[in-house]
Amino acid sequence: MLHFIQKLFYSIKYRRVLKTLDDPKRSLSSDQSEQANESNTAGQGFVVHVVMAGFLLVPFLIGCGFGLVHYRISNRLAQQRAVDQHGVKIIAVIQSLEIETIHHDRTGVDQHDSESKYCLIGIQYSPPGSKRLFSRTFRLEDDTVCQRHNVGDKVSAKMLVDQPDVVVLDEGRLSESWYWVSLMLCVFFSGLPILAGLRMIQVASRRTR
């Protein structure tokens, strides 16, 4: 893909020059025509740079989006590891259950190609030996958790005693593999346009010497 981007860039940038070389009748014969050609070439070069910048910006923004997802996944997995090592068992009461459906519109019209379902589950719990109540809401990728329970049911979880707000349900835990998947997607989409841009700058600087 990097080679394709470079090839596209220079095919657009030097299209006028190659066309002139192929047709001897269009060779320049005066200073005025040379200045006009230089002006047109400069204008075309600016347009090409703007177009390529926009072309590279799209995957970069996608990579930034995956970077945000990776950050959230990292925090969630860090909490899971912490409660697994130092957490204590608690019993929480379900206060709310809702299945969230997200439609992925790929056609630009009212038809939806696919959808994703999540379980929004709100719980209320108390730390061991305390009557203070805490509330948390989780967005779980496994929507069947909402189908298996009702409001008022009790579910098991783990929490950190010194940080009562850090709670992880025994159900709907996130797999460690998502850490590497989100990281690779972030690096791929954000790193590729950066490498392509640096390569174009390097080649352009060589041609101006």
Side-chain angles (χ1 to χ4, degrees), residues 90-106:
I90 61 170
I91 300 297
V93 180
I94 297 178
Q95 299 294 311
S96 62
L97 285 171
E98 180 184 352
I99 294 181
E100 178 187 32
T101 302
I102 298 179
H103 297 282
H104 305 287
D105 188 357
R106 301 177 182 175

Side-chain angles (χ1 to χ4, degrees), residues 5 46-61 193:
I5 295 175
F46 176 76
V47 173
V48 169
H49 282 85
V50 171
V51 172
M52 294 306 300
F55 182 77
L56 296 177
L57 183 62
V58 173
F60 179 76
L61 293 178

Side-chain angles (χ1 to χ4, degrees), residues 2-72:
L2 178 60
H3 176 71
F4 170 75
I5 295 175
Q6 294 176 357
K7 189 174 181 180
L8 177 62
F9 174 79
Y10 290 110
S11 64
I12 298 174
K13 184 174 182 180
Y14 297 109
R15 174 179 59 84
R16 186 179 182 88
V17 177
L18 294 175
K19 190 174 182 181
T20 301
L21 293 176
D22 292 338
D23 190 355
K25 295 181 180 180
R26 297 189 179 184
S27 60
L28 303 178
S29 59
S30 66
D31 294 338
Q32 184 177 3
S33 61
E34 289 180 359
Q35 293 176 358
N37 187 34
E38 290 177 358
S39 178
N40 291 334
T41 302
Q44 289 181 352
F46 176 76
V47 173
V48 169
H49 282 85
V50 171
V51 172
M52 294 306 300
F55 182 77
L56 296 177
L57 183 62
V58 173
F60 179 76
L61 293 178
I62 294 176
C64 292
F66 279 117
L68 179 60
V69 172
H70 175 71
Y71 173 76
R72 294 177 177 176

Side-chain angles (χ1 to χ4, degrees), residues 130-198:
S130 174
K131 295 183 179 180
R132 184 181 177 185
L133 293 176
F134 290 85
S135 298
R136 284 287 309 275
T137 300
F138 299 89
R139 186 172 185 263
L140 307 178
E141 291 75 16
D142 184 6
D143 63 292
T144 60
V145 176
C146 283
Q147 301 173 2
R148 292 195 298 265
H149 297 285
N150 297 308
V151 174
D153 289 353
K154 294 182 178 180
V155 291
S156 58
K158 281 186 177 181
M159 60 161 286
L160 296 180
V161 178
D162 55 343
Q163 294 179 282
D165 58 321
V166 179
V167 177
V168 175
L169 296 176
D170 289 348
E171 295 184 88
R173 291 168 60 91
L174 190 65
S175 173
E176 292 280 346
S177 61
W178 282 107
Y179 177 90
W180 300 106
V181 172
S182 60
L183 178 61
M184 287 188 294
L185 289 174
C186 173
V187 172
F188 176 78
F189 281 99
S190 61
L192 187 62
I194 292 176
L195 292 176
L198 292 176

Side-chain angles (χ1 to χ4, degrees), residues 13-14 201-209:
K13 184 174 182 180
Y14 297 109
I201 294 174
Q202 182 182 14
V203 175
S205 62
R206 290 178 180 176
R207 291 180 178 272
T208 56
R209 293 177 181 176

